[in-house]
Amino acid sequence: MGDDEEYAMTNDLSVPYLPTQLIIGGTGRDAASGATFEVTDPATGKVLSKVADATPEDGILALDSAAAAGAAWSRVPPRRRAEILHRVHDLLMERTDEFARLITLEMGKSLAESRTEVAYAAQFFRWFAAETVRIDGQWKVSEDGSARVLVMRQPVGPCLLITPWNVPLAMPARKIAPALAAGCTVVVKPAEETPLTTLKLAGVLAEAGTPDGVVNVIPTSRPAEVTGPLIRDDRLRKLSFTGSTEVGRILLAAASSRVLRTSLELGGNAPFLVCQDADVDAAVRGAITAKTRNIGEACVAANRFYVHAGVADEFVAKFTDRMRALRVGPGTAPETDLGPLINGRQRERVAALVDDAVRHGAQVLTGGVVPSGSGFFYPPTVLTDVSPAAAITREEIFGPVAAIQTFTDETEAVRQANDTEHGLVSYLYTRDLTRAVRLSEQLESGMVGLNRGLVSDASAPFGGVKQSGLGREGGNSGITEYLEEKYIAIDIPE
Ligand code: ADP
């Protein structure tokens, strides 16, 4: 795919190099059954493309290929692995516009947001390029002096990476980059809504010099049937999943039969706390980011707002003005702030949560009405007086809807913030240092956005506590998810 001739427009979406076949062992191929499935544009509901629909046999072929490529890839010198990952970073940045267009077409977010996602995805390749040459170990004298302790870290082996539709480039990147950096090979199962971006990423990985078989991609409309046999196969050594808590539980149960190493990045139900001493304008800016980034379709999206009664009127008025001003439309239109939701099912879910909150006494300050016409649009919506009994306070909204409650007692606000099975991220706005530290310690989440509405960062450990997941991605710990520690006890007689 390296030369200009091959790197040509291969479709009518104005996206250069648009692969639609499975990628197994470095070659594109049709599904064993010959079947395909449709990928649609959420802004129009129209079919964008058809993609090969992997069968369970194709899944096993992909694992054959990952297993066969494993030994050689693990022996590629770290400097060479780093160079390849750096090249992936550079190619993604060079092709920002074409990747952004594809993300927008299949997922819906605005082009500006898609460009940000491309940069975020590229950062993981750059970050883990630097990590791959720094995989280290340990040498020490045993406690009683009779042995030497040598600790090494080795690649865990072939990995299955299952990714969601909401961030179709950066979620695969956040898994593929550390896996390859560690010396592992991978089978990627992208979400059925957004397989095109991941297939295109695999093209860039190959172009950057990743040997055949190191990265295999198997889109399928039958995820459980295709991934089940892989999870049961002894050659698979690692499962990394990002998606709903519900599917995460199913996969964890399946992985338990082989005690398979598993990383899970699951749902969130992020509280957003605005204390009486907060900088209200900063809180409003952070709230807009935390609520509307990715059209609210993010596990780190603010889900429940707790605002101190002393600043509630000002916060709500300013925040509602900003929400109302957001322009809803197709992600491809330059003026669009908020694209459509991913599909009709998701829009119905969001609308039902809003209706339920209203039945429980919530006031709708803006939005709340499903627009007519094609595409799965939903307006930016602000609800106040939200009852803790409303389903919207317990369920992940995954849409541009802010549910606001007020508080006067900080202890009670933290209790409510923590009253959820999830624990991914919390947002906290306060100018008081002592309160900031105290509440950050008390909030039961893997991450805290302190006076900041954005926590995603390639250099930071991303992940949750409670039922939001297991393990961390990015940061210093990201690569350790793909490494096994081995210790050699060396006898040193007196
Ligand atoms: P969402 O509800 O946001 O679509 P899911 O958790 O259903 O999130 O999907 C995330 C990823 O998990 C997708 O790639 C999807 O195909 C995959 N998936 C869904 N169900 C299963 C399953 N039972 N086994 C394996 N993968 C699954």
Side-chain angles (χ1 to χ4, degrees), residues 162-165 189-193 223-224 227 241-244 247 250-251 398:
I162 303 179
T163 55
W165 49 263
K189 209 301 288 167
E192 42 275 54
E193 294 85 351
T227 60
F241 168 76
T242 296
S244 61
V247 174
I250 295 170
L251 289 171
F398 248 58

Side-chain angles (χ1 to χ4, degrees), residues 136-153:
D136 57 10
Q138 231 182 27
W139 171 263
K140 65 182 175 187
V141 179
S142 68
E143 203 181 35
D144 68 0
S146 69
R148 298 296 177 268
V149 173
L150 172 64
V151 182
M152 64 174 78
R153 296 203 285 168

Side-chain angles (χ1 to χ4, degrees), residues 62-64 66-68 70-71 74 154-161 179 182-187 227-241 251 254-263 479-486:
L63 181 56
D64 291 346
S74 71
Q154 297 177 305
V156 63
C159 307
L160 172 61
L161 313 178
C184 299
T185 56
V186 302
V187 176
T227 60
L230 269 61
I231 293 169
R232 290 192 292 275
D233 191 306
D234 284 342
R235 295 170 301 168
L236 189 78
R237 297 299 170 80
K238 164 91 194 180
L239 168 65
S240 178
F241 168 76
L251 289 171
S256 75
S257 66
R258 286 185 47 240
V259 196
L260 183 65
R261 266 190 77 176
T262 303
S263 303
I479 197 165
T480 64
E481 302 278 330
Y482 297 91
L483 291 166
E484 290 285 13
E485 236 175 18
K486 180 189 281 177

Side-chain angles (χ1 to χ4, degrees), residues 8 22 171 209 259 264 286 393 425:
L22 314 177
M171 291 304 97
V259 196
L264 302 171
T393 64
V425 60

Side-chain angles (χ1 to χ4, degrees), residues 157-379:
C159 307
L160 172 61
L161 313 178
I162 303 179
T163 55
W165 49 263
N166 59 341
V167 192
L169 184 62
M171 291 304 97
R174 195 160 76 179
K175 298 183 193 300
I176 295 170
L180 268 52
C184 299
T185 56
V186 302
V187 176
V188 188
K189 209 301 288 167
E192 42 275 54
E193 294 85 351
T194 56
L196 297 168
T197 305
T198 312
L199 289 170
K200 188 171 164 68
L201 170 64
V204 164
L205 280 151
E207 193 178 336
T210 309
D212 291 349
V214 172
V215 178
N216 306 277
V217 187
I218 48 165
T220 178
S221 64
R222 299 184 280 162
E225 265 178 81
V226 171
T227 60
L230 269 61
I231 293 169
R232 290 192 292 275
D233 191 306
D234 284 342
R235 295 170 301 168
L236 189 78
R237 297 299 170 80
K238 164 91 194 180
L239 168 65
S240 178
F241 168 76
T242 296
S244 61
T245 297
E246 189 191 353
V247 174
R249 285 193 201 102
I250 295 170
L251 289 171
L252 188 58
S256 75
S257 66
R258 286 185 47 240
V259 196
L260 183 65
R261 266 190 77 176
T262 303
S263 303
L264 302 171
E265 205 272 277
L266 308 177
N269 182 0
F272 191 106
L273 279 82
V274 183
C275 300
Q276 190 163 20
D277 57 46
D279 174 340
V280 173
D281 291 326
V284 169
R285 281 195 302 278
I288 289 289
T289 302
K291 184 66 256 180
T292 66
R293 203 163 64 97
N294 226 48
I295 326 165
E297 294 173 316
C299 50
V300 287
N303 220 53
R304 297 166 293 148
F305 289 79
Y306 298 102
V307 184
H308 193 280
V311 290
D313 287 349
E314 183 187 356
F315 175 86
V316 169
K318 290 180 169 171
F319 177 65
T320 305
D321 281 350
R322 290 280 306 270
M323 286 287 273
R324 204 179 274 125
L326 293 172
R327 289 158 303 190
V328 178
T332 46
E335 66 280 6
T336 292
D337 297 310
L338 274 188
L341 297 180
I342 189 72
N343 53 34
R345 187 169 46 93
Q346 180 56 18
R347 181 166 71 168
E348 280 162 28
R349 235 183 52 77
V350 171
L353 285 173
V354 170
D355 294 347
D356 172 75
V358 170
R359 272 198 300 278
H360 281 87
Q363 307 293 314
V364 183
L365 300 195
T366 186
V369 179
V370 176
S372 55
S374 62
F376 308 115
F377 298 96
Y378 194 85

